[in-house]
Structures are given as C-alpha cells and as structure tokens.
Amino acid sequence: AQSVSQHNHHVILSEAASLELGCNYSYGGTVNLFWYVQYPGQHLQLLLKYFSGDPLVKGIKGFEAEFIKSKFSFNLRKPSVQWSDTAEYFCAVNAPNRDDKIIFGKGTRLHILP
Amino acid sequence: EAQVTQNPRYLITVTGKKLTVTCSQNMNHEYMSWYRQDPGLGLRQIYYSMNVEVTDKGDVPEGYKVSRKEKRNFPLILESPSPNQTSLYFCASSHWQRTNTEAFFGQGTRLTVV
C-alpha cells in the first residue's frame, strides 16, 4: 500500500529563516503529489501540486517543492519564512492509475517565531 | 463558488446519542471521503466513496457509518458516539481516476462527546 512519510513533526524557525520540510512516498508508479496547509483553526487548503512536467513546482505564498523521482521525495521549501506561515503542513500522494486514494502524511507543525 | 460544506461546525453531544454530520459538494466530484484529525496522528481516513452507492472503509471505520445516495452528499453517521470519537472531522471531495485532480476540504466539524 502507498504511504507518505513526513520526517519532521514539529519545526520551529525564526522569521526570515529558510525552510525545507521533507516528504517521501512509497509508491513506484505514476503519482500526483500535493502539499496542503492548515492555518490555525482552519481547514486544509492546497499549497501546491505536481501532476507532470517540470519537477520544480511553485505554489502560493512563495512556497515551492521539488519532485525527485529517484528519491521518491517531494520536499517543500521556502527561502524566507514569515510569522504568518505558522501552520500545519501535510504532504499527500495519490496514484491515479491505481486505487486513486489520496494518502496524507501525518503532518508537520511549523511554528515561526516573530 | 466551488466548495465543500460541512454542518455543523461545532457539536457537543452525549455518549450514545446518534448524530449525523452532513457534507455536500457542488463540483460534481465522484470521490468523497471523511477524515478525522487528532493531535500527533495527522489525518486518518474513516470512510470513502468512489461514486453513488459505492462506499468503502478507510483506516479507522469503527463506530462510523456513511451513505452515498446522491453524488453531492456524503453524510457521516455516528450511531452511538463515544468519548474516543471526540475529534476534528473533515470531509473532502475530488474527481475519481482523472490524472489532474486535487482534494477540496470542508471547513471541519469539531465534535465533543461527553
């Protein structure tokens, strides 16, 4: 079965620091990859997605992610975080040619110090 | 506006009193699912549905029921709620077996069972 691993459960950074959140998935076939963000008290919103093409994907609010197929990874990055980036981040994968379920990682809670 | 609507947003109930949380989407999505979110456990899928009258168990189905009589609605039913079902619940929908699809989430339902 597919699975998604997020390496960091809780990350604390100061404003302007660079961010990288790790995500690895286990399925070897064609995948769609997502990062969702959940701001405090809110629902999950799509941050960015990869379906095909350029493996470097740019999302909203200055976030980007790189799909490295050989490493089964889809790490999320931001060069300079802001206090408003404090949120929980979820990596997700689905296999459209397989069972097509969207599988979520356990999430990474990001706390930005002002 | 494309959206997934859950009701109620907040609910406090007593052990054993049947309740239903409604979920409706206006995007003609085939796939709908329910998740519960608990601290440290991320999102866990309860049930999902690939289309009308087609439902299946997710990772944590015990104590829950669902139905999918219409494409747009996917209610979550707790026949006899217990305190361990106190959680934050999210409904999500997406297209099924299409290459470029993403999940859209409802606003969440915070359930407390006393």
Side-chain angles (χ1 to χ4, degrees):
Chain A
Q2 301 148 248
S3 66
V4 178
S5 298
Q6 291 183 240
H7 314 302
N8 315 101
H9 298 299
H10 200 170
V11 173
I12 302 173
L13 295 172
S14 297
E15 272 194 310
S18 66
L19 169 72
E20 182 160 2
L21 301 182
C23 173
N24 285 89
Y25 63 94
S26 65
Y27 182 59
T30 300
V31 291
N32 296 327
L33 296 157
F34 311 88
W35 276 97
Y36 284 85
V37 60
Q38 185 181 28
Y39 297 105
Q42 296 190 26
H43 64 294
L44 276 79
Q45 304 167 48
L46 185 69
L47 199 55
L48 50 79
K49 59 192 176 187
Y50 171 82
F51 292 143
S52 64
D54 189 344
L56 184 62
V57 179
K58 295 201 182 298
I60 59 172
K61 304 187 180 186
F63 285 90
E64 64 179 33
E66 186 174 11
F67 171 47
I68 303 180
K69 191 173 181 180
S70 60
K71 295 185 178 180
F72 299 90
S73 70
F74 191 56
N75 292 355
L76 181 70
R77 300 194 293 246
K78 185 169 183 178
S80 177
V81 294
Q82 301 171 300
W83 178 79
S84 58
D85 294 325
T86 294
E88 191 156 14
Y89 293 81
F90 293 90
C91 182
V93 61
N94 92 311
N97 299 327
R98 199 168 181 241
D99 61 18
D100 211 25
K101 289 172 63 175
I102 299 180
I103 308 296
F104 286 87
K106 289 197 184 317
T108 297
R109 196 177 292 269
L110 176 65
H111 188 77
I112 305 298
L113 302 173
Chain B
E1 181 191 353
Q3 59 185 5
V4 179
T5 304
Q6 286 179 236
N7 279 296
R9 293 287 310 279
Y10 301 92
L11 180 58
I12 301 174
T13 190
V14 295
T15 299
K17 186 176 180 183
K18 181 180 178 180
L19 66 91
T20 300
V21 184
T22 63
C23 174
S24 180
Q25 50 94 5
N26 63 0
M27 294 167 278
N28 202 34
H29 285 162
E30 300 84 15
Y31 187 92
M32 296 185 75
S33 64
W34 278 101
Y35 298 87
R36 61 178 288 174
Q37 185 179 20
D38 302 288
L41 297 176
L43 284 166
R44 293 182 293 169
Q45 191 177 51
I46 302 169
Y47 267 96
Y48 63 97
S49 168
M50 292 172 280
N51 216 322
V52 176
E53 301 292 2
V54 181
T55 64
D56 209 347
K57 296 177 180 178
D59 301 315
V60 287
E62 294 77 22
Y64 303 94
K65 283 175 55 177
V66 292
S67 69
R68 189 88 181 275
K69 293 184 170 55
E70 306 162 283
K71 199 171 187 180
R72 63 183 291 124
N73 296 324
F74 190 47
L76 178 70
I77 303 154
L78 284 71
E79 294 270 3
S80 182
S82 62
N84 66 10
Q85 292 178 298
T86 292
S87 186
L88 179 57
Y89 292 86
F90 288 102
C91 178
S93 74
S94 63
H95 284 299
W96 175 251
Q97 290 189 328
R98 294 192 196 180
T99 305
N100 300 343
T101 188
E102 65 193 67
F104 292 81
F105 284 82
Q107 295 281 345
T109 296
R110 187 167 291 281
L111 172 65
T112 302
V113 183
V114 297

